[in-house]
Amino acid sequence: MQKEIEITLSPEQIEQTEIINQKLAEALNLSESRIKGFEILKRSIDARSRKVIYRLQIKVFIDENQIPKVYIVNYQNVSNAKPVLIIGAGPAGLFAALQCIENGLKPIIIERGKDVKQRRRDLAAINKEGLINTESNYCYGEGGAGTYSDGKLYTRSNKRGDINKVLQVFVSHGAEQDILVDARPHIGTNKLPQIITSIKDTILNAGGEVMFDCQMTDILIEFGTIKGIQINFKDTLLADDIILATGHSARDIYELLSKKNILIEAKPFALGVRIEHPQEIIDTAQYHCDTRSEFLPPAYYSLVEQVGTRGVFSFCMCPGGIIAPCATGENEIVVNGWSPSKRNNPYANSGTVVQVTLDDIQGYDPLRMLNFQSEIEKLAFEAGGGNLVAPAQRMMDFVNNKLSIDLPKNSYLPGTKSVMLDNILPEFVSESLKAALPLFGKKIRGYYTNEAILVGVESRTSSPVRIPRDKETFQHPQVKGLYPCAEGAGYAGGIVSAAIDGINCANAILKAL
């Protein structure tokens, strides 16, 4: 017999199996001897009261042995199968490739960047020397932006596909089992590269192909139907189906589509800054304590405020994290955040952004939101003075229109420069942030402080362009065989939702066949 129940534990009890068994027996009014095993289905921290607890949803095995679950997919060999071109080796592209193999199709991944190992050198040059390789950086390369930007797996996309399948694939390629049960699963930037490499190896072992340093420079179309692509302005690959999973920063792809009169649309996005606090401030407020218990992870927060007609919200919060330089082109500043698996850095950072609507940027050009985004990033670069030094300001100084005399220590390795962020951010973004930050301080004690630094700019929250597709076939309405996919096309917002969209596109190709 099996039963599902919820129990609560103190942080000190969370790893103690004997206590869990006792709690289960008490809750079910059984002797402990009848409990033959249990499976944690979901685990979350409840810090709403002064006493912080864990809530566990558990499946209990009563009078029957627990049979361990094993997730195994026997990927068939597709070396000689029908090819599908997948543009981009991010989570959408990789999971699309795995699903193609399951469906008996041969995936050929075309990735403009480098593999995981070679990317590390380019990231080191970005952080230490402020040098950008426009084809290999935090966004471009094996695993996409997710590989070196945290590995957060939290998503609300449960209606789009099988979240558990995505998590199981990560576990089967080396991720910790904890991601299957944690309410906010997280892998960590230090562990993701090996997992991504393992997924690539699965694709190669099944007869798929992965081509690095290969930029798609043209799409070959005849009579509204895909025929193939051009790579690096010279080589040609022929195929009937293309999954376009290039991510939200591949601006040349949007420009290519526009040039070829393939329909694209301007899309709203969000713009702001990355805000960093000492982690202990967030811990103290969220856990109602002077010092965080060793049995609790660094604290997380999520904030949202309506300022007039505009939403202001935290985004991609990184406990124990680092602010990273994520520009993909020269003379631009873009910041993002990530955390290692232990989240053991002394700072907590989060994107804090303001909605930018189509009405804010008037016109008919489908690239107008992208061009606006680019202009802000160039202003940030100029304000920083070069070498990826980022413009920054203390929080209360920003709200009070005061230039910061100095800046607090922070995690952004290329360095920060004190500026008036009002000179970079559009007025509607600045004013919305200034109204929201003191209100956030009322929700989290200690949040509104001059110990916090605002680093600009957080601009790649989502794609500023949407590539339209049919809701049923997933194909572009003008081009048969072209499958716009995931974040770059405007249909996902994170690793898991991108992976699900990649799976859905691969399944749509099979259905069309």
Side-chain angles (χ1 to χ4, degrees), residues 155-167:
T155 182
R156 295 187 179 93
S157 300
N158 56 331
K159 293 183 180 179
R160 297 184 184 183
D162 190 347
I163 293 173
N164 191 61
K165 175 175 180 174
V166 173
L167 299 181

Side-chain angles (χ1 to χ4, degrees), residues 22-234:
Q22 290 173 9
K23 290 255 188 180
L24 293 174
E26 290 172 6
L28 295 168
N29 195 27
L30 299 171
S31 66
E32 283 187 54
S33 61
R34 293 187 64 192
I35 297 177
K36 303 302 181 181
F38 63 85
E39 177 187 350
I40 299 174
L41 302 176
K42 192 61 66 178
R43 177 174 59 208
S44 61
I45 295 173
D46 187 343
R48 289 174 293 182
S49 62
R50 295 201 64 82
K51 185 178 179 181
V52 180
I53 57 173
Y54 275 90
R55 292 190 180 276
L56 278 69
Q57 192 72 26
I58 295 181
K59 179 187 288 186
V60 187
F61 295 83
I62 304 167
D63 299 328
E64 66 176 64
N65 291 327
Q66 179 183 2
I67 300 174
K69 287 183 178 178
V70 180
Y71 181 82
I72 298 176
V73 178
N74 293 314
Y75 293 104
Q76 60 191 303
N77 190 287
V78 293
S79 300
N80 299 314
K82 180 180 174 63
V84 174
L85 299 182
I86 300 172
I87 317 302
L94 292 173
F95 277 79
L98 292 175
Q99 191 62 41
C100 280
I101 295 167
E102 285 193 53
N103 293 347
L105 302 168
K106 178 181 179 177
I108 302 175
I109 298 179
I110 312 300
E111 170 55 50
R112 68 193 300 164
K114 300 177 182 179
D115 65 25
V116 160
K117 290 183 179 178
Q118 293 188 74
R119 279 181 81 184
R120 287 184 183 138
R121 298 181 194 135
D122 296 316
L123 297 186
I126 290 172
N127 284 301
K128 295 177 182 177
E129 304 170 48
L131 298 176
I132 284 283
N133 181 332
T134 57
E135 299 303 323
S136 177
N137 42 62
Y138 274 98
C139 291
Y140 299 158
E142 184 179 2
T147 303
Y148 289 105
S149 58
D150 204 57
K152 293 182 186 68
L153 303 179
Y154 176 72
T155 182
R156 295 187 179 93
S157 300
N158 56 331
K159 293 183 180 179
R160 297 184 184 183
D162 190 347
I163 293 173
N164 191 61
K165 175 175 180 174
V166 173
L167 299 181
Q168 289 282 8
V169 168
F170 278 120
V171 170
S172 67
H173 287 88
E176 299 290 339
Q177 292 274 346
D178 287 349
I179 68 170
L180 300 174
V181 299
D182 283 335
R184 289 189 171 272
H186 169 256
I187 293 177
T189 298
N190 54 319
K191 293 186 176 181
L192 259 172
Q194 302 94 301
I195 295 167
I196 294 299
T197 299
S198 179
I199 293 175
K200 175 189 67 180
D201 290 343
T202 294
I203 294 166
L204 295 177
N205 291 336
E209 296 181 27
V210 183
M211 302 169 63
F212 294 110
D213 296 306
C214 291
Q215 181 184 0
M216 184 184 75
T217 48
D218 199 3
I219 301 177
L220 308 180
I221 303 169
E222 290 183 9
F223 304 110
T225 300
I226 286 292
K227 292 301 177 184
I229 65 171
Q230 181 192 71
I231 299 172
N232 297 338
F233 299 99
K234 55 181 181 179

Side-chain angles (χ1 to χ4, degrees), residues 412-433:
Y412 184 75
L413 291 178
T416 51
K417 178 182 177 181
S418 178
V419 305
M420 294 291 288
L421 290 173
D422 282 346
N423 296 332
I424 300 167
L425 298 171
E427 183 178 2
F428 69 86
V429 172
S430 278
E431 294 306 311
S432 297
L433 286 171

Side-chain angles (χ1 to χ4, degrees), residues 251 254-255 258 263-269 271 356-377 426 428 459 463-466:
R251 289 171 172 165
Y254 302 129
E255 291 164 358
S258 180
L263 181 65
I264 57 175
E265 303 165 345
K267 175 183 156 297
F269 70 109
L271 172 68
V356 183
T357 70
L358 297 180
D359 290 336
D360 293 318
I361 315 299
Q362 297 287 333
Y364 299 99
D365 184 354
L367 298 178
R368 69 184 188 275
M369 303 297 276
L370 182 150
N371 293 332
F372 169 72
Q373 180 191 65
S374 178
E375 289 169 8
I376 300 299
E377 293 168 3
F428 69 86
S459 52
S463 172
V465 178
R466 177 176 284 108

